Amino acid sequence: MSGTIIIRAQALTAFVAALFEAAGAPKAHAERTGEGLVAASLSGHDSHGVVRVPRYLQAIADGHLDPQATPATLSETATTLVVDGRSGLGMVIGRETMRRAIEKTQASGLTLVAIRTSFHLGRIGEWAEQCAEAGLVSLHFVNVLNVGGLVAPFGGKERRMSTNPFACGIPVAGGEPIILDMATSRIAEGKALVALNAGKHVPEGALIDAQGRPSRNPADLYGPPQGALLHFGEHKGYGLALICDLLAGALGGGGANHPGHPVTGAVHNNMLSILIDPAPTGGSAFGLESAAFIDWIKACAPVDPEAPVLVPGDPERAHRRQRLAHGVPLDAGTWASLTEAARALRFTPADIAEMAGVGRL
Ligand code: NAD
């Protein structure tokens, strides 16, 4: 890939953390944010990785993102937790809230958690992974408020909803967890941004232009005039996206997308999560049954002998192994936007090369 640079995960994490610290985040928040964004890049979700850094820094400068905020408890019972993310860094708000929710679930068996108005919670699979590492099943419904919509409802040609992701994590006895983590749009918006930066097309069926015509050009999404993303699976993906807005936004209390909420340009996520301790209902039988089922699925003869059947979570793990060993590739556009953001924070080109370890590769 021409113009691509490759950076070791550790150096990239330190680089991103340094930028957030320079922008006013406490050291621990800056480090957690570096870790979370680089984990997304390592997982192959470049759209939710370090490509987001300049936007996050801009949001801090615009007052939409408070890098010092921690989650504030709005209500709590033995089985529920509602927090206000106070426009804080999503990697910090998500991690801390899930930590508390995991503790509660280990005591009660089941917890309903609502996070309201966090800044972007990033790769939602990160929260399912955190729960699965603790041996818990989890479901996560997310909406994005305040972006003015991106996705057209099935049959419509105007933007009405966000890319409303859904994630589910299931620990599997003796194996890797199942982590289903997906936008309800055919592609995540960040993937259109990555395609735009890299001068590439998006897959067919991913977006329409402002007139409602199918397009593969990511520039048609951003306009002007702006087009819209489409849901995966036509009316089915649309239905799940609707449920995400209703559960994360309306039931969780942070708000669903409609004109009653002023659009400020901030990327605010609401997330409604359900954490389940499998011990009371399934216990070891659940573990064994899941493992047997996954083995059976993976033993399915593949259409292409070179492409074995995978389960959700496998592609991310494969990316992590490869990128941890060989470094994270960043296209020229992404690297240019990161270095520009660093220079705006008064880092010199020598600082940047040193921090990111570019000169040493
Ligand atoms: P994707 O299409 O790359 O993957 C979706 C799921 O399919 C994953 O669980 C993956 O493991 C699984 N998968 C992929 N290939 C597979 C195969 N061959 N066999 C079995 N399973 C397979 O993901 P996406 O929809 O582009 O979403 C990308 C990221 O964007 C996600 O991490 C999501 O949480 C994030 N996102 C976040 C927001 C937000 O507001 N915070 C909004 C939208 C999306």
Side-chain angles (χ1 to χ4, degrees), residues 2-354:
S2 82
T4 298
I5 78 151
I6 297 183
I7 303 186
R8 297 274 174 216
Q10 208 181 1
L12 189 56
T13 307
F15 174 55
V16 171
L19 298 193
F20 280 99
E21 212 180 337
K27 193 174 176 56
H29 288 197
E31 286 174 353
R32 172 82 269 283
T33 302
E35 196 180 277
L37 290 174
V38 172
S41 294
L42 280 172
S43 306
H45 290 297
D46 295 313
S47 58
H48 286 67
V50 298
V51 72
R52 298 264 171 174
V53 170
R55 287 192 195 180
Y56 281 26
L57 294 172
Q58 189 58 48
I60 294 175
D62 293 343
H64 293 318
L65 164 55
D66 176 357
Q68 309 201 341
T70 51
T73 304
L74 297 175
S75 75
E76 185 171 9
T77 68
T79 54
T80 62
L81 176 63
V82 181
V83 304
D84 182 349
R86 299 198 285 190
S87 304
L89 286 159
M91 276 83 241
V92 173
I93 303 296
R95 176 66 53 164
E96 172 58 14
T97 307
M98 285 305 121
R99 186 194 65 72
R100 287 183 60 198
I102 288 167
E103 259 179 34
K104 292 173 73 68
T105 311
Q106 284 162 342
S108 67
L110 188 72
T111 309
L112 180 71
V113 190
I115 297 178
R116 295 181 190 168
T117 330
S118 167
F119 194 75
H120 191 233
L121 284 160
R123 184 178 68 95
I124 304 306
E126 182 174 357
W127 318 124
E129 284 168 2
Q130 190 182 347
C131 296
E133 273 162 28
L136 303 180
V137 172
S138 65
L139 295 154
H140 308 266
F141 302 88
V142 178
N143 80 338
V144 195
L145 208 54
N146 264 340
V147 285
L150 270 169
V151 191
F154 183 64
K157 64 175 185 181
E158 292 174 342
R159 297 172 169 209
R160 281 291 182 275
M161 325 169 69
S162 79
T163 54
N164 290 4
F166 166 77
C168 175
I170 300 187
V172 174
E176 309 265 35
I178 299 297
I179 304 290
L180 175 64
D181 171 28
M182 57 185 208
T184 48
S185 50
R186 171 80 173 74
I187 58 167
E189 184 266 333
K191 290 203 166 143
L193 182 66
V194 168
L196 188 71
N197 277 342
K200 293 184 179 162
H201 279 120
V202 297
E204 231 160 274
L207 60 89
I208 49 176
D209 68 13
Q211 278 73 46
R213 295 175 302 213
S215 167
R216 292 195 59 203
N217 181 358
D220 282 338
L221 176 63
Y222 299 100
Q226 291 179 332
L229 290 175
L230 297 173
H231 290 106
F232 78 88
E234 302 183 328
H235 55 287
K236 300 181 189 186
Y238 161 56
L240 181 57
L242 206 74
I243 298 298
C244 284
D245 240 299
L246 290 170
L247 292 186
L251 183 63
N257 278 294
H258 59 76
H261 297 289
V263 174
T264 63
V267 184
H268 281 147
N269 273 149
N270 299 305
M271 178 163 80
L272 187 94
S273 303
I274 301 165
L275 277 62
I276 304 164
D277 182 350
T281 48
S284 57
F286 164 75
L288 294 173
E289 192 65 8
S290 323
F293 172 62
I294 299 304
D295 284 350
W296 176 236
I297 292 290
K298 287 195 153 190
C300 179
V303 174
D304 173 358
E306 301 298 315
V309 170
L310 304 176
V311 293
D314 280 345
E316 288 75 10
R317 286 187 281 268
H319 268 105
R320 279 200 285 270
R321 279 192 293 275
Q322 204 276 343
R323 290 184 170 190
L324 275 172
H326 302 290
V328 179
L330 299 178
D331 65 70
T334 300
W335 179 239
S337 69
L338 282 173
T339 52
E340 197 179 311
R343 280 200 299 273
L345 289 165
R346 310 263 178 268
F347 289 105
T348 65
D351 293 335
I352 296 167
E354 173 61 25

